[in-house]
Amino acid sequence: MRLATLNRTLPTRSASMKVGFGGTFVTTVALMFLFAGPSRAQKRPVFPAGTFCDEVNSGLCTDLAKGTNYEGKYSGHDEPALLFYSNRPGSGNSSTYFLRIPKDPPVKPKQDGTGGTWNFQLHPAFWFGMALCDSQSDPNFTNVCNPDTDANIFDNADPTAADFVGKHPGTAFMELQFYPPGWVNDCLPTTWCSAMTIDSVSAKESTGEVNNNDCRSTVGDETVNFAFVTFNGKSQAPADPLARALDPNQTASFPDTAQVLQYNPGDLLLVTLHDSPAGFRVEIVDLNTGKHGSMTASIANGFAQMNFDPAATTCSSNPYAFHPMYSTSSEHTRVIWAAHSFNVSFSDEIGHFEFCDAIGGEGGPCTLAGINDPGGLDADDVFCFDNFGDPTLIPVTGCLSTERDFDGVPYHPGSWPGGTKDANADRNLRPQPIQFTSPLFIDSHGRPRNYDRVAFEADIPAITPNPPCSHRTGVGCVNPPPGAQFYPIFSTTHFFPGVCGWQEGGGHIRDTINNFGGTSTAEFGPLTFNPYINGPNASIILVEDNRQVLDHNPCPLGLGGDGERSE
């Protein structure tokens, strides 16, 4: 999410490079199942560097289990998610999706809320995720993390157990994020783009230690390696959080249109995530334009881990190639410092837009409440922007801080496709739904496989203030969150003729196959209790999520023959 470091100038727009369909892994997977089934010079925010996760509670950053950062500030992000499970090796470190980029409605948003709702108002980003190794990240029990193995599963609450959660290797979480156009939290004015982000936490949970003061003031406690997906697979600048923080020109933050892969609304993408000798790799093919891009979390691309050295006087980083942490994806393959319990997953990032009628400067507080706050200003009406006078952007003013009272645009049924039964509103006032297929993974025999079960998960307890929601007992934790008039859900549809796919929105999207009860209460299910580290030899059970695990995959990607089965 490109929201920090104001008063920078974007590079001049130039023609996009055309690159043919490539990549051995992508080509192999595509041939196996692709056909088997039916610039401006305005002063604007940019993608972040420095202490962005800590200071402005960005939607770019993975949600922490504690709900606050190590300075006691609130840190939370509303992330309805779909998780994919299989006990077969390969399911935790390779996944391939078809993704349809959503279109915005023909009616543009208006300041009084009477216009259409565009994607930038619902989600600054949505993403595909996977857990990775980072031997310098929380919990820092050991400085070794051997990748691609379930020997890294440590989620037992018992301190005497061999797999006690406190012995977990250092973890990071990768999000392949997609950014919508149209406003100041975009990538480009009319096209989508994507970036690989890898979140790590510089802490030792068992002792409460955090990194040295220089690191905390320079990059913060939660750090993000960041690199746009590019045509040639080379990062346009080092992904290293420290290098970005110290770069006065913020070179990595501005999408260079000559390098960065872009997507038109409505484009169909083939998205592949997998390990490689050089590091974790994503490859994307736009099946409408034929353009192709990639990014590898490699040393060559400037990826690095922040050295966890609390006693140091100077912050430092170490070149590092990130690799997947686990071999499988299940209820046990967690990033143990995160609020969510996922590994292989799709998640949306909602709750970052509400209207404001006047602001105290770009990035400042709201000074005159908008349509979402009929009772007047409230505590989350901060980090607000207009459109910087840029004629290529929608002329609205709004605030982007994380919602605490759930009254912004994403929590109204009229904002989402299928939020109500009004088909005319779906055509003219609401964006098309994000649509994607269940992923396939490559098993140990080199064959594509479906995941055999799924889970619906929302970190509603983690983002609900305490009180009313007790994260120890679950008392007062409600779904949907208090104040929300609506909460988006996942449903199945016909992605291709005869091919099942997932979509996000309300329960009334046209051509829905199954809406799983049609409400967030029915879909995301009961509260989930998971163990977290709570001292040198202790754990604590916390309520961070609602989760419903299905014992099957209701929407497999049809392969025919043996590939239809995951187990």
Side-chain angles (χ1 to χ4, degrees):
M1 181 177 171
R2 182 157 50 94
L3 298 175
T5 315
L6 296 174
N7 298 326
R8 303 292 187 185
T9 303
L10 291 172
T12 303
R13 191 172 304 182
S14 59
S16 296
M17 226 178 177
K18 291 189 177 179
V19 177
F21 189 96
T24 302
F25 187 91
V26 170
T27 304
T28 301
V29 172
L31 291 176
M32 293 175 86
F33 60 86
L34 174 57
F35 303 107
S39 131
R40 6 181 203 172
Q42 304 294 331
K43 295 181 178 180
R44 305 182 46 210
V46 299
F47 287 97
T51 58
F52 192 70
C53 292
D54 292 343
E55 290 179 349
V56 297
N57 196 25
S58 164
L60 176 77
C61 307
T62 300
D63 196 0
L64 299 173
K66 284 188 171 183
T68 59
N69 61 26
Y70 290 93
E71 296 164 339
K73 299 177 183 177
Y74 174 69
S75 175
H77 318 292
D78 197 352
E79 298 171 344
L82 188 60
L83 288 55
F84 299 96
Y85 292 154
S86 172
N87 296 327
R88 187 180 290 274
S91 61
N93 53 30
S94 65
S95 53
T96 297
Y97 305 79
F98 288 106
L99 167 67
R100 185 170 287 116
I101 297 293
K103 293 181 178 180
D104 290 312
V107 178
K108 295 180 180 180
K110 297 180 180 179
Q111 189 65 37
D112 63 1
T114 61
T117 299
W118 279 30
N119 277 282
F120 71 80
Q121 297 171 285
L122 296 182
H123 26 233
F126 65 81
W127 44 263
F128 297 116
M130 187 177 292
L132 306 182
C133 277
D134 182 350
S135 59
Q136 292 287 306
S137 180
D138 192 63
N140 277 302
F141 173 77
T142 173
N143 295 130
V144 176
C145 183
N146 296 313
D148 299 302
T149 174
D150 283 355
N152 288 324
I153 295 176
F154 291 81
D155 68 341
N156 197 319
D158 183 358
T160 66
D163 58 348
F164 173 52
V165 65
K167 299 177 181 179
H168 203 291
T171 58
F173 192 68
M174 187 287 311
E175 298 177 5
L176 174 59
Q177 299 186 341
F178 292 81
Y179 309 113
W183 200 58
V184 301
N185 56 348
D186 71 1
C187 183
L188 294 163
T190 60
T191 55
W192 292 65
C193 80
S194 53
M196 180 193 290
T197 71
I198 300 175
D199 286 58
S200 303
V201 174
S202 294
K204 188 170 185 176
E205 206 69 35
S206 61
T207 62
E209 289 178 277
V210 293
N211 216 351
N212 59 75
N213 288 335
D214 189 43
C215 276
R216 300 188 78 198
S217 64
T218 305
V219 296
D221 295 308
E222 183 180 357
T223 60
V224 183
N225 276 264
F226 179 94
F228 290 109
V229 175
T230 60
F231 292 110
N232 61 11
K234 296 180 180 179
S235 178
Q236 65 175 45
D240 180 355
L242 184 58
R244 293 187 359 256
L246 298 177
D247 178 4
N249 297 315
Q250 287 296 288
T251 311
S253 302
F254 301 98
D256 180 353
T257 56
Q259 301 183 60
V260 173
L261 182 65
Q262 303 161 55
Y263 324 106
N264 298 310
D267 280 1
L268 177 64
L269 310 184
L270 179 66
V271 181
T272 302
L273 306 90
H274 65 98
D275 203 7
S276 78
F280 176 77
R281 181 173 175 85
V282 300
E283 301 179 59
I284 301 177
V285 178
D286 188 322
L287 299 173
N288 289 86
T289 65
K291 296 177 181 178
H292 169 268
S294 65
M295 182 49 55
T296 304
S298 63
I299 292 174
N301 279 324
F303 282 78
Q305 58 183 181
M306 297 306 305
N307 291 322
F308 182 68
D309 189 357
T313 57
T314 303
C315 187
S316 64
S317 62
N318 185 53
Y320 188 75
F322 290 87
H323 295 276
M325 172 158 279
Y326 301 108
S327 173
T328 65
S329 180
S330 74
E331 298 88 335
H332 301 284
T333 56
R334 295 170 50 206
V335 174
I336 51 87
W337 49 259
H340 266 292
S341 70
F342 43 38
N343 178 14
V344 174
S345 51
F346 169 90
S347 182
D348 198 4
E349 175 74 39
I350 68 172
H352 285 280
F353 186 93
E354 60 180 307
F355 284 106
C356 165
D357 286 349
I359 60 175
E362 301 297 349
C366 183
T367 58
L368 180 62
I371 188 66
N372 299 127
D373 290 311
L377 296 173
D378 52 49
D380 59 17
D381 296 335
V382 293
F383 199 47
C384 308
F385 300 89
D386 59 22
N387 75 333
F388 288 80
D390 187 336
T392 67
L393 301 181
I394 303 297
V396 295
T397 302
C399 301
L400 297 174
S401 181
T402 296
E403 288 275 344
R404 302 299 313 270
D405 53 6
F406 308 102
D407 60 357
V409 171
Y411 300 104
H412 290 262
S415 301
W416 290 86
T420 68
K421 294 182 180 180
D422 188 342
N424 183 63
D426 265 11
R427 283 191 298 270
N428 297 310
L429 300 177
R430 303 167 184 164
Q432 294 180 353
I434 302 167
Q435 293 184 330
F436 57 97
T437 60
S438 289
L440 297 178
F441 66 91
I442 301 300
D443 69 12
S444 57
H445 301 288
R447 294 177 295 190
R449 296 275 184 175
N450 273 295
Y451 291 78
D452 70 334
R453 58 195 195 280
V454 302
F456 303 107
E457 184 172 276
D459 60 341
I460 295 172
I463 62 171
T464 302
N466 183 3
C469 173
S470 170
H471 297 183
R472 293 291 299 273
T473 66
V475 173
C477 302
V478 297
N479 171 19
Q485 299 180 31
F486 173 83
Y487 198 85
I489 62 172
F490 297 99
S491 58
T492 56
T493 187
H494 300 283
F495 190 88
F496 298 128
V499 176
C500 187
W502 296 94
Q503 59 189 358
E504 184 191 14
H508 307 289
I509 303 174
R510 182 180 177 182
D511 296 327
T512 292
I513 299 172
N514 189 342
N515 64 13
F516 303 94
T519 67
S520 65
T521 305
E523 179 168 286
F524 293 110
L527 297 172
T528 300
F529 295 78
N530 282 316
Y532 291 87
I533 300 168
N534 190 39
N537 295 292
S539 65
I540 185 172
I541 304 299
L542 295 177
V543 177
E544 301 293 337
D545 307 298
N546 291 83
R547 185 179 66 190
Q548 178 179 192
V549 180
L550 304 185
D551 63 1
H552 65 291
N553 182 349
C555 191
L557 181 59
L559 297 173
D562 187 53
E564 185 73 25
R565 298 185 299 274
S566 176
E567 301 299 331

